[in-house]
């Protein structure tokens, strides 16, 4: 628990110190923002700062910092390091700089920003890449809450079926994507964001009250003691198949750095009245998300490996699980992330916790799916130059967009492992998006003659992470650790040489 407290303090100090430095480097001023100069009553409009923060937090959070942290806890307390350093020096900076750069470019979406600083060809690649990613988010976050809702209803009636809830959720997506941002998103999101924050805060208080004996960073960086923690049985093979480098950095994305955020920050960049609101909204929302991830990583370590699960299940169920250990089956294989959320919240927080858990595992993914499709609409509209003040013109884009998303959803439902396949591709694509964003920010800082090392180092690191994952993943090239790590070193050298060559060429032109 000492490591947890130190990590918590580190994130707060990161906002106060490094967040201030990042804002100083960018240099926000009092120039009119797109919310004022391009107000259209649909996507560009001034909203209050507290509401923007709540919407931004829920946009980028959803279940990401919860589910990712629960799975990331499989690697042990080393997950703390990635959440701390990733959030402060990569994720929060990534979100702030991409959001502020959008403001400076008239509320431009990510493909437009990438095209301006990395070239027209990269812009086209990013257009296809980001829209596909956003449609995958929409499809995944229809299917997973629908499964949960059908399980909660537990009835043979049509309104208890998965299909019923898929239709209900998708109809909501259509409405939220088409209507002005203040009509549904501006009204509902603050409530859901408050619920998510309240749940995390209540669990943090529970951790302080229980003060469980957990491994500290300085005593056990890579794994838990398998002999002392039977709940770890059966997970050793997972860690062997999914080594910390690079898989931890893909698993914990939203709690550290996530390229998906760069598609969401422009939504709020179009609603800010003053640039100086950027630090608490963009950098602050990401630090808040890191704190949520930190809490859930700690809860998961206690739950899985140090007996916390015994507090949350009946003695009969506990005996069943213990009996299964002889067969090599682990608690992790019995408790998926949504189940952990429901069980922990209901046990620790009572009836109110059960309601919050429902919001956490159902409402949170839905609120990521609708803004994903909204972002896709705006990205396409920006690329083809179609204004979005008119409902008719919004429908021109949304009809084929919804049709393609439904196609992905149908494929996902018809394939037994469809959800897992899409989620794996989403995880890699999500972090690859951050690579494009970080290189865009690096070029911007070079052109502005500002300290570009702050984005260059994360850009190189995430380039290596995403490339190594392709080399080592069984679902990709599956080259084996030796070849994959050798390849990652070569990729790092190539990326660094390319940048130094470009930088020297750019300096000669000035």
């Amino acid at each position: 628990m000492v490591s947890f407290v130190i990590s918590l303090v580190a994130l707060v100090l990161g906002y106060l110190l490094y967040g201030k430095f990042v804002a100083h480097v960018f240099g926000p001023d009092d120039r009119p923002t797109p919310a004022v100069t391009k107000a259209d009553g649909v996507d560009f409009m001034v909203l209050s700062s507290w509401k923007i923060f709540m919407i931004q937090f829920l946009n980028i959070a959803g279940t990401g910092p919860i589910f990712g942290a629960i799975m990331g806890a499989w690697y042990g307390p080393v997950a703390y390091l990635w959440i701390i350093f990733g959030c402060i020096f990569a994720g929060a900076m990534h979100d702030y700089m991409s959001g502020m750069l959008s403001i400076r470019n008239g509320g431009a979406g990510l493909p437009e920003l990438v095209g301006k600083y990395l070239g027209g060809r990269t812009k086209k690649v990013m257009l296809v890449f980001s829209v596909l990613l956003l449609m995958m988010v929409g499809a995944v976050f229809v299917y997973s809450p629908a499964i949960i809702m059908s399980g909660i209803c537990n009835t043979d009636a049509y309104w208890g079926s998965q299909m019923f809830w898929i239709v209900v959720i998708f109809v909501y997506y259509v409405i939220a994507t088409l209507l002005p941002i203040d009509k549904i998103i501006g009204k509902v999101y603050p409530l859901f964001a408050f619920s998510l924050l309240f749940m995390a805060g209540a669990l943090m208080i529970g951790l302080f009250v229980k003060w469980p004996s957990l491994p500290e960073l300085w005593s056990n960086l890579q794994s838990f003691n398998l002999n002392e923690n039977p709940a770890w049985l059966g997970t050793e093979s997972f860690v062997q198949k999914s080594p910390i480098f690079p898989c931890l950095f893909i698993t914990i994305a939203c709690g550290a750095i996530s390229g998906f955020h760069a598609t969401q920050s422009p939504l709020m960049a179009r609603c800010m009245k003053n640039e100086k609101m950027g630090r608490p909204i963009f950098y602050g929302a990401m630090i808040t998300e890191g704190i949520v991830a930190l809490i859930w990583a700690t809860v998961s370590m206690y739950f899985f490996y140090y007996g916390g699960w015994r507090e949350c299940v009946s003695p009969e169920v506990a005996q069943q699980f213990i009996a299964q250990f002889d067969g090599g089956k682990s608690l992790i294989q019995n408790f998926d992330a949504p189940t952990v959320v429901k069980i922990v919240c209901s046990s620790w927080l009572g009836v109110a916790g059960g309601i919050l858990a429902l919001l956490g595992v159902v409402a949170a993914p839905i609120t990521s799916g609708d803004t994903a499709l909204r972002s896709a609409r705006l990205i396409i509209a920006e690329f083809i130059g179609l204004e979005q003040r008119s409902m008719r013109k919004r429908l021109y884009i949304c009809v084929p967009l919804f049709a393609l998303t439904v196609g992905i959803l149908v494929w996902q439902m018809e394939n037994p492992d469809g959800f897992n396949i899409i989620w794996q591709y989403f995880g890699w694509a999500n972090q690859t998006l951050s690579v494009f964003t970080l290189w865009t920010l690096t070029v911007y800082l070079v052109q502005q003659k500002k300290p570009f090392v702050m984005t260059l180092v994360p850009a190189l690191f995430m380039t290596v992470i995403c490339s190594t994952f392709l080399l080592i993943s069984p679902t990709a090239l599956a080259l084996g650790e030796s070849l994959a790590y050798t390849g990652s070193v070569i990729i790092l050298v190539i990326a660094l040489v390319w940048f130094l060559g470009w930088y020297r060429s750019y300096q000669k032109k000035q």
Side-chain angles (χ1 to χ4, degrees), residues 163-403:
M163 182 57 65
F164 172 81
W165 287 107
I166 286 173
V167 172
V168 169
I169 294 169
F170 201 83
V171 168
Y172 164 77
Y173 279 8
V174 172
I175 296 171
T177 304
L178 289 170
L179 290 183
I181 197 166
D182 63 331
K183 299 303 181 185
I184 293 182
I185 293 175
K187 289 182 171 60
V188 175
Y189 271 43
L191 173 63
F192 289 154
F194 174 79
S195 300
L196 199 59
L197 290 172
F198 181 84
M199 176 173 63
L203 291 175
M204 182 172 65
I205 293 172
L207 284 171
F208 282 126
V209 170
K210 295 174 185 295
W211 198 260
S213 177
L214 298 177
E216 305 293 355
L217 273 169
W218 46 86
S219 62
N220 195 346
L221 278 175
Q222 293 186 343
S223 66
F224 294 100
N225 188 320
L226 304 184
N227 295 324
E228 295 178 0
N229 301 284
W232 182 261
L233 291 174
T235 63
E236 186 176 10
S237 62
F238 166 81
V239 176
Q240 290 172 347
K241 294 178 182 178
S242 307
I244 285 179
F245 189 91
C247 296
L248 172 65
F249 307 94
I250 299 292
T251 302
I252 300 180
C254 291
I257 180 172
S258 169
F260 173 69
H261 297 184
T263 67
Q264 301 302 293
S265 291
L267 291 179
M268 294 299 96
R270 300 176 178 112
C271 300
M272 288 168 49
K273 188 176 182 180
N274 192 297
E275 284 189 353
K276 295 178 181 178
M277 297 163 58
R279 182 181 164 215
I281 288 172
F282 296 127
Y283 201 97
M286 184 59 204
I287 291 294
T288 305
E289 183 175 6
I291 292 173
V292 172
L294 197 68
I295 292 169
W296 274 104
T298 307
V299 169
S300 301
M301 291 179 201
Y302 175 48
F303 181 86
F304 282 129
Y305 318 119
Y306 285 84
W309 59 276
R310 296 175 185 270
E311 302 175 4
C312 304
V313 299
S314 66
E316 293 79 13
V317 174
Q319 289 302 319
Q320 291 175 10
F321 282 133
I322 292 172
Q324 288 172 339
F325 288 155
D326 293 335
K329 194 172 185 181
S330 79
L331 279 175
I332 288 179
Q333 293 169 320
N334 287 281
F335 289 138
D336 58 14
T339 303
V340 172
V341 174
K342 289 188 289 184
I343 290 177
V344 169
C345 287
S346 299
S347 175
W348 286 25
L349 308 178
V351 176
I355 296 173
L356 290 174
L358 179 62
L359 289 174
V361 298
V362 176
I366 291 174
T367 54
S368 292
D370 60 3
T371 51
L373 294 176
R374 189 181 190 90
S375 295
R377 169 176 68 80
L378 289 166
I379 286 172
I380 296 171
E382 193 171 41
F383 182 77
I384 63 178
L386 187 66
E387 61 87 14
Q388 294 293 279
R389 190 186 299 267
S390 163
M391 174 63 79
R392 178 170 54 86
K393 293 182 178 178
R394 275 175 260 161
L395 285 170
Y396 287 159
I397 296 173
C398 285
V399 169
L401 178 66
F402 292 146

Side-chain angles (χ1 to χ4, degrees), residues 482-493:
S482 298
L483 282 176
Y485 292 150
T486 301
S488 68
V489 173
I490 294 173
I491 289 167
L492 174 61
V493 172

Side-chain angles (χ1 to χ4, degrees), residues 419-440:
F419 177 85
N420 291 329
I421 292 172
I422 291 179
W423 188 261
Q424 289 174 4
Y425 279 107
F426 164 71
W428 173 80
N430 180 36
Q431 295 301 59
T432 302
L433 206 62
S434 73
V435 173
F436 281 97
T437 306
L438 289 167
W439 281 113
T440 298

Side-chain angles (χ1 to χ4, degrees), residues 15 17 64 82 98 145 194 313 331 364 447 452 501:
Y15 172 78
L17 301 177
W82 175 229
S98 60
F194 174 79
V313 299
L331 279 175
Q447 293 179 355
F452 58 84

